[in-house]
Amino acid sequence: MAREIRIEIDDEQYAQLEREAHERHEDPTVYAGRVLAQELDKARFLEGSALFVRTPGVREEFARRFGPGPGTTASAA
């Protein structure tokens, strides 16, 4: 079920939002909603990851199975 949320941003941020939406051929409101949802998903993922890693023994088990550091294909996100 979709819910409505209202936010206020300054004129400079709104102009940037409009430019980015225009580049993607999207309505600024739709684009803003999608960007907000993506950021919330990312925040939830990072929060869940932090909780997972804080669980006793998980970090050690993960390191044992997959190695202690990022692999050669890892990239900064």
Side-chain angles (χ1 to χ4, degrees):
M1 173 178 176
R3 300 266 182 143
E4 181 177 325
I5 186 169
R6 293 180 183 260
I7 60 170
E8 289 188 26
I9 58 175
D10 63 35
D11 291 340
E12 184 179 323
Q13 291 171 323
Y14 189 79
Q16 180 181 353
L17 175 76
E18 283 187 316
R19 283 192 304 274
E20 291 177 10
H22 179 72
E23 289 173 7
R24 290 167 176 77
H25 306 287
E26 288 187 63
D27 176 82
T29 304
V30 173
Y31 175 72
R34 187 170 51 77
V35 169
L36 180 60
Q38 288 172 343
E39 288 300 314
L40 290 172
D41 287 344
K42 180 180 177 181
R44 284 196 309 253
F45 172 80
L46 293 174
E47 183 180 310
S49 298
L51 180 62
F52 176 76
V53 170
R54 285 194 307 265
T55 303
V58 168
R59 183 179 298 200
E60 295 78 12
E61 178 64 18
F62 188 88
R64 185 183 69 72
R65 292 182 70 187
F66 301 106
T72 57
T73 59
S75 64

